[in-house]
């Protein structure tokens, strides 16, 4: 299998115009980008990711000025949120414009849209002039890529090229906020938190139950999952556990036992930035069990908690989401 070549912005835009899929750096994770108006290109993204057809995709655009091309209604809430958080890691779910492909919306009456902040994504979107779908550039259910080499490891030469944008600054997927109804609702937590949104909206923001909440037994979608079985362990307990020689640790409050894991920063933004790369490194060691120290309970950590809970639900299993 050949490696995916690195491309520049011009080559990336040509590939998108041809209907090819490319590896696109965003500030959240690397996306598998394709022309959002080209049904064959969108179908190729689903095929490459092996993603089930009913999982809708996010349309990425260059600026809020293009939002009206994708959304039938741009409400005052949407306008205010776009002004505050775009470009940035917030996706808005809005009533769809008529022409938006059913493959993108999952056949729903809404469409998800975001303006990414990464300078290379910005350059590509400005030159391309239209929207691209860009789900995380990993096979369905696997750990999302935050470095160009992660995209190469996932896709070999199935992708036309990858733009080298270095390590992603945010490191976990965007916050998804549904503003298509009378109650703004978080569908996926991320770097833009509930208090940040409420400060702009001046109204309470609802959240779907966090993955792993005991109120949704059996409803845990597996996601972002390493192959190694992964268990979340209380911060207070982790120093006491005798985990044996073929177990690995991912910690934040103290170092793991010597040679048996990695430690991430003890604040949410630094932790999120390093999370997926750390999971990939630990997964590659082929341990029997990966123990992850539970993150704190505060709002700032909601995105990290969500990803780790899904990773724990999906680790070692076959049924996953992407
Ligand atoms: P990603 O894999 O990062 O591209 O994110 C795709 C996710 O965005 C989907 O799995 C949904 O959770 C969410 N999403 C996209 N479009 C919609 C929509 N129209 N309504 C609700 N959620 C959506
Ligand atoms: Mg994904």
């Amino acid at each position: 299998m050949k490696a995916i070549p690195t491309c520049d912005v011009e080559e990336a835009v040509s590939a998108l115009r041809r209907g090819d899929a490319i590896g696109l750096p965003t500030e959240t994770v690397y996306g598998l980008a394709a022309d959002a108006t080209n049904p064959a290109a969108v179908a190729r993204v689903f095929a490459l990711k092996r993603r089930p057809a009913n999982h809708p995709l996010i349309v990425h655009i260059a600026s809020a000025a293009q939002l009206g091309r994708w959304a039938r209604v741009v409400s005052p809430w949407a306008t205010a949120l776009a002004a505050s958080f775009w470009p940035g890691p917030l996706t808005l779910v809005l009533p769809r414009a008529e022409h938006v492909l059913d493959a993108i919306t999952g056949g729903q009456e809404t469409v998800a849209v975001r303006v990414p902040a990464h300078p290379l994504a910005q350059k590509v979107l400005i030159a391309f002039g239209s929207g691209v779908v860009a789900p995380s550039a990993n096979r369905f259910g696997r750990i999302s890529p935050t470095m160009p080499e992660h995209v190469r490891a996932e896709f070999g030469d199935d992708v036309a090229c990858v733009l080298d944008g270095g390590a992603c600054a945010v490191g976990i997927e965007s916050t998804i906020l549904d503003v298509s109804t009378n109650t703004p609702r978080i569908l996926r937590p991320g770097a833009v938190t509930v208090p940040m949104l409420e400060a702009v909206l001046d109204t309470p923001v609802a959240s779907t139950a966090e993955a792993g909440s005991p109120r949704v037994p059996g409803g845990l979608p597996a996601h972002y999952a390493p192959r190694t079985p992964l268990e979340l362990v209380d911060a207070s307990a982790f120093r006491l556990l005798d985990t044996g020689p073929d177990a690995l640790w991912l910690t934040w409050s103290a170092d793991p036992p010597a040679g048996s894991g990695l430690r991430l920063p003890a604040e949410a933004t630094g932790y999120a930035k390093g999370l997926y790369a750390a999971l990939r490194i630990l997964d590659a060691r082929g341990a029997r069990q990966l123990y992850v120290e539970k993150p704190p309970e505060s709002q700032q950590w909601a995105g990290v908690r969500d990803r780790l809970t899904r990773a724990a639900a999906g680790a070692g299993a076959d049924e996953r989401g992407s």
Side-chain angles (χ1 to χ4, degrees):
M1 198 158 62
K2 292 200 308 283
I4 309 172
T6 301
C7 58
D8 60 21
V9 169
E10 203 178 317
E11 289 162 338
V13 171
S14 305
L16 290 172
R17 296 226 162 95
R18 280 199 305 272
D20 278 341
I22 62 163
L24 180 72
T26 82
E27 78 280 27
T28 59
V29 302
Y30 274 73
L32 185 62
D35 182 351
T37 65
N38 179 336
V42 173
R44 187 161 160 68
V45 167
F46 277 94
L48 283 171
K49 280 184 64 82
R50 302 182 193 135
R51 178 164 163 138
N54 60 356
H55 283 238
L57 299 175
I58 296 170
V59 178
H60 294 66
I61 55 176
S63 80
Q66 296 176 7
L67 188 51
R69 296 193 210 164
W70 300 91
R72 181 165 47 77
V73 184
V74 181
S75 65
W77 278 348
T79 305
L81 291 165
S84 294
F85 296 107
W86 283 357
L90 175 68
T91 295
L92 297 177
V93 173
L94 300 159
R96 70 187 283 185
E98 199 72 48
H99 70 88
V100 183
L101 298 173
D102 279 337
I104 290 177
T105 66
Q108 303 175 92
E109 281 309 303
T110 52
V111 62
V113 186
R114 176 168 105 83
V115 176
H118 194 291
L120 283 178
Q122 276 284 320
K123 283 189 179 138
V124 167
L125 289 170
I126 289 167
F128 185 56
S130 180
V132 304
V133 294
S136 53
N138 53 280
R139 306 276 189 195
F140 186 59
R142 290 296 169 196
I143 301 165
S144 300
T146 53
M147 315 250 222
E149 47 272 33
H150 298 163
V151 182
R152 293 200 166 88
E154 290 284 336
F155 290 108
D157 58 359
D158 286 343
V159 169
C161 66
V162 58
L163 283 144
D164 186 345
C168 300
V170 174
I172 58 171
E173 297 79 358
S174 60
T175 302
I176 302 179
L177 184 73
D178 184 352
V179 282
S180 70
T181 71
N182 292 334
T183 308
R185 179 177 296 275
I186 300 248
L187 304 181
R188 176 173 73 188
V192 176
T193 62
V194 168
M196 291 163 72
L197 293 165
E198 288 181 340
V200 170
L201 290 178
D202 227 0
T203 190
V205 170
S207 287
T208 46
E210 232 179 76
S213 151
R215 281 163 299 168
V216 287
L220 298 182
H223 212 123
Y224 318 105
R227 292 182 169 83
T228 315
L230 184 160
E231 191 180 326
L232 289 170
V233 176
D234 263 331
S236 56
F238 93 83
R239 284 180 211 83
L240 305 173
L241 265 181
D242 179 12
T243 54
D246 51 356
L248 288 172
W249 278 94
L250 182 60
T251 66
W252 55 269
S253 71
D255 286 337
S260 63
L262 295 170
R263 179 180 180 177
L264 286 169
E267 41 80 34
T269 55
Y271 188 106
K273 181 172 185 197
L275 174 61
Y276 289 145
L279 287 177
R280 278 176 184 267
I281 289 167
L282 294 171
D283 202 21
R285 286 174 57 177
R288 170 185 58 80
Q289 179 75 44
L290 174 57
Y291 293 100
V292 177
E293 182 184 0
K294 268 188 197 159
E297 287 297 323
S298 65
Q299 293 270 12
Q300 273 180 313
W301 287 84
V304 164
R305 277 199 307 277
D306 172 79
R307 302 313 186 277
L308 285 176
T309 311
R310 289 174 200 272
D318 285 319
E319 281 303 306
R320 304 161 193 286
S322 81

